[in-house]
Amino acid sequence: MSYPYPLVVFDLDGTLVDSAADIAEALNRTLEDIGLARVPEATVLGWIGDGVRRLVEQAVQAAGRQIDLAAVMPTFMVHYRECLLRSPQLFAGVVDALAQLRALNVPLAICTNKPAALVPPLLQHLGIADAFALVLGGDSLPQRKPSGEPLRHIAAHFELPVDACLMVGDSLTDYRAAEDAGMPIALVRYGYPRGLDLDNAQAVAVIDDLRELPGLAAVSAI
């Protein structure tokens, strides 16, 4: 059996890993440090996906404060590292899906807006680091999602046409990146959609479990 996509590129938070509680805790510790009230995890879910600077910026804006982000980000990054391995969990089906795709000789990559230095320790902790041939973080290039440039960069690294590869994500940020790059996308229902209308998205598939991925047929880019 051959797979119709010669490369599968995964988002990380909300697609492979349920890390919302840890990201929320890091953000809340930062807010406490600068004299602001903690916010519910459900609120933080709506802010995850555009990178750490934008995450902190949205939290501060929601509190109605004017603050020097450059001064706050080092504090946030300390808490982010401290909370990175606090309680992350792989979503159901991730291990099996990755194993099935690798058994089909499909190279796998990660395209995340999480800072690149924090991705390998998280993958090692969760036992899936060896599954990925390439990992691109939110600070690996001058552009990050929702720009399509990271996806184009990954496709070029594998010497593949971008419209032949498959992106797998959960959010509006992922969807816009795939749209900008011209890469087909499969979306998961269980992640952090951040305003994405999953029922009307132009996607290869909208799935409830990553174990559905190995059975997908090829569909043109959105």
Side-chain angles (χ1 to χ4, degrees), residues 13 20 27 38 62 93-94 97 129 141 145 156 158-159 170 173 176 201 208 211 215-216:
D13 299 304
L27 180 63
R38 293 172 66 95
V94 168
L141 300 175
K145 299 178 297 184
F158 290 94
E159 299 182 339
D170 67 303
T173 299
R176 287 176 173 165
D208 296 302
R211 283 169 286 204
L216 292 184

Side-chain angles (χ1 to χ4, degrees), residues 12 34 51-52 59 74 103 108 113 126 151 166-167 213:
L12 183 59
I34 61 176
V52 290
L108 309 178
N113 279 347
L126 294 168
L151 294 178
L166 180 67
M167 168 74 183
L213 271 183

Side-chain angles (χ1 to χ4, degrees), residues 67-222:
I67 201 159
D68 180 3
L69 274 178
V72 174
M73 289 310 299
T75 299
F76 173 77
M77 290 307 299
V78 168
H79 291 311
Y80 201 18
R81 290 187 183 94
E82 289 174 347
C83 295
L84 182 69
L85 307 182
R86 181 172 163 267
S87 62
Q89 295 186 33
L90 294 173
F91 287 109
V94 168
V95 172
D96 288 343
L98 298 179
Q100 289 175 45
L101 289 170
R102 293 184 75 197
L104 294 171
N105 296 314
V106 179
L108 309 178
I110 285 178
C111 182
T112 175
N113 279 347
K114 186 184 288 294
L118 300 188
V119 180
L122 179 60
L123 298 180
Q124 290 284 355
H125 176 76
L126 294 168
I128 58 171
D130 292 344
F132 301 98
L134 179 67
V135 172
L136 207 66
D139 51 0
S140 297
L141 300 175
Q143 306 86 1
R144 64 176 184 268
K145 299 178 297 184
S147 168
E149 186 55 31
L151 294 178
R152 287 189 286 268
H153 177 90
I154 291 172
H157 173 87
F158 290 94
E159 299 182 339
L160 293 167
V162 68
D163 60 356
C165 307
L166 180 67
M167 168 74 183
V168 183
D170 67 303
S171 71
L172 187 59
T173 299
D174 296 324
Y175 186 77
R176 287 176 173 165
E179 187 174 44
D180 184 49
M183 184 178 289
I185 186 168
L187 296 165
V188 299
R189 288 193 182 277
Y190 53 74
Y192 319 144
R194 297 181 62 245
L196 178 60
D197 182 354
L198 291 167
D199 292 324
N200 293 303
Q202 297 180 48
V204 167
V206 180
I207 59 179
D208 296 302
D209 189 306
L210 282 186
R211 283 169 286 204
E212 297 175 51
L213 271 183
L216 292 184
V219 175
S220 353
I222 59 176

Side-chain angles (χ1 to χ4, degrees), residues 9-34:
V9 184
F10 290 91
D11 171 55
L12 183 59
D13 299 304
T15 300
L16 297 175
V17 183
D18 187 359
S19 53
D22 302 326
I23 295 172
E25 180 60 24
L27 180 63
N28 278 319
R29 290 182 187 183
T30 304
L31 294 176
E32 288 178 325
D33 284 349
I34 61 176

